[in-house]
Amino acid sequence: FGRGKPAFARAALACVAGEILLFTFGVSWLYVLTHSFAKAVSFGLYWFVFAEVLKVMFAAGTVRGWQALTSRK
């Protein structure tokens, strides 16, 4: 995370990529169980989006704060 884009943006991007991957597999598994994409998205995505956005922002902010703390010498 040291070079290039600011640490918050890179951490947020990594978190979002991970969340997309997790939700893709989770919703696809629910689709197999329910045989309905609408139900799978309703049960496995809509309920969790707000909390996931908060979690990504918190995680990215934590990475930024940790880097600021550890870079002081």
Side-chain angles (χ1 to χ4, degrees), residues 1 6-19 56-57 59-61 63:
F1 288 106
F8 181 83
R10 290 182 67 169
L13 184 62
C15 289
V16 167
E19 292 297 332
V56 165
M57 292 298 142
V63 166

Side-chain angles (χ1 to χ4, degrees), residues 49-72:
V49 169
F50 180 70
E52 294 301 319
V53 168
L54 291 177
K55 184 171 71 171
V56 165
M57 292 298 142
F58 179 74
T62 301
V63 166
R64 179 68 179 121
W66 183 261
Q67 280 188 332
L69 243 142
T70 58
S71 67
R72 295 181 193 169

Side-chain angles (χ1 to χ4, degrees), residues 23-67:
F23 276 117
T24 299
F25 285 107
V27 169
S28 64
W29 181 247
L30 284 171
Y31 174 73
V32 169
L33 294 175
T34 62
H35 303 291
S36 168
F37 184 71
K39 283 185 181 179
V41 169
S42 175
F43 293 145
L45 182 67
Y46 296 148
W47 287 94
F48 302 104
V49 169
F50 180 70
E52 294 301 319
V53 168
L54 291 177
K55 184 171 71 171
V56 165
M57 292 298 142
F58 179 74
T62 301
V63 166
R64 179 68 179 121
W66 183 261
Q67 280 188 332

